[in-house]
Amino acid sequence: MISDRQLIEGYKSGKQEDFELLINRYKDDLYRFCCHLSLDRQEAEDLFQEVWVRIFRKLGMYDPERPFKAWLFQVTINLHRDRYRKLKRLRERLTFAWSSEHSGFTEISDSAPLTEEYLLRKEQDLYLEQCLRNLPKRYLAPLILYYYEEFSYESIGEILGVPLGTVKSRLNQGKKLLKAKMEELG
């Protein structure tokens, strides 16, 4: 299998298809990560697109000594933080203009059959999502990176730009907060 480094070098030397291969290699993991971060399908899709545009523009800044996936997720975290700050300011400005009936999350339609197992899994997913939504972002990202994306503590520290001890602390505190939220909402 061709390495990430080879694909990047190939793209830099003019092989457009190498960038497409790189996207195809990581699109599922990245999209899933964007969904976990955003907790909203439309925001996740927007973030996903924005990440690839940023990667395309900044590929020359990539350090080939680092794993590409870690750098990709670091770019994603940084873009998400920027978007979150902008959205938070916008939401604060518009809060008075919107009544509570206009706010909230949109339901995502699903074409899967409505079996008992499916409905139970969907209910559990929604319950976990609701609990995750209530966590501060500084705890959410490490939990997602560790449990869903299976990054090591060291890689999480690199992605988030924090020391190893902070990663461990945030994971520990995040687990405690998540457990408390689940008990509270359960």
Side-chain angles (χ1 to χ4, degrees):
M1 181 165 98
I2 191 165
S3 72
D4 294 342
R5 179 183 269 182
Q6 291 170 315
L7 289 174
I8 292 167
E9 291 303 318
Y11 170 71
K12 286 180 180 178
S13 67
K15 295 181 183 175
Q16 298 290 338
E17 64 275 7
D18 283 358
F19 192 71
E20 290 176 31
L21 290 171
L22 197 62
I23 289 172
N24 287 331
R25 181 173 290 171
Y26 292 107
K27 69 181 180 183
D28 293 338
D29 290 342
L30 180 64
Y31 184 72
R32 183 176 58 247
F33 184 58
C34 290
C35 286
H36 288 304
L37 281 177
S38 300
L39 299 174
D40 176 89
R41 184 136 338 219
Q42 186 58 51
E43 284 183 36
E45 289 173 5
D46 292 345
L47 178 61
F48 178 82
Q49 294 296 327
E50 194 174 337
V51 167
W52 284 116
V53 169
R54 177 72 53 94
I55 293 296
F56 177 76
R57 289 183 183 153
K58 303 287 184 178
L59 201 55
M61 297 173 66
Y62 168 66
D63 176 7
E65 298 303 315
R66 289 183 62 201
F68 178 77
K69 187 175 180 181
W71 183 68
L72 176 67
F73 277 53
Q74 182 178 28
V75 169
T76 305
I77 288 281
N78 291 340
L79 279 171
H80 175 70
R81 283 180 184 155
D82 292 346
R83 289 171 58 87
Y84 181 74
R85 284 185 203 117
K86 289 175 189 174
L87 286 172
K88 186 176 177 184
R89 284 193 301 264
L90 180 62
R91 284 181 184 140
E92 287 170 357
R93 286 186 215 138
L94 296 176
T95 304
F96 65 91
W98 290 84
S99 68
S100 61
E101 66 187 81
H102 291 112
S103 65
F105 294 92
T106 56
E107 285 295 315
I108 300 166
S109 63
D110 200 324
S111 60
L114 296 176
T115 64
E116 184 177 342
E117 179 183 323
Y118 169 79
L119 292 173
L120 182 60
R121 191 175 69 246
K122 198 71 165 165
E123 183 179 337
Q124 290 170 340
D125 289 348
L126 289 172
Y127 176 67
L128 180 59
E129 183 179 316
Q130 183 180 6
C131 292
L132 286 170
R133 239 183 231 158
N134 290 310
L135 287 180
K137 292 284 183 181
R138 70 176 171 268
Y139 301 120
L140 177 62
L143 287 171
I144 293 168
L145 288 168
Y146 186 76
Y147 289 104
Y148 288 96
E149 300 302 329
E150 300 177 355
F151 276 101
S152 69
Y153 290 159
E154 292 81 10
S155 293
I156 294 169
E158 269 188 54
I159 291 168
L160 298 176
V162 298
L164 183 61
T166 303
V167 171
K168 291 178 180 180
S169 173
R170 288 183 184 175
L171 276 170
N172 188 40
Q173 186 63 28
K175 286 189 285 188
K176 288 178 184 175
L177 289 171
L178 183 58
K179 182 179 179 186
K181 290 288 180 194
M182 292 178 86
E183 289 171 356
E184 176 184 314
L185 295 173

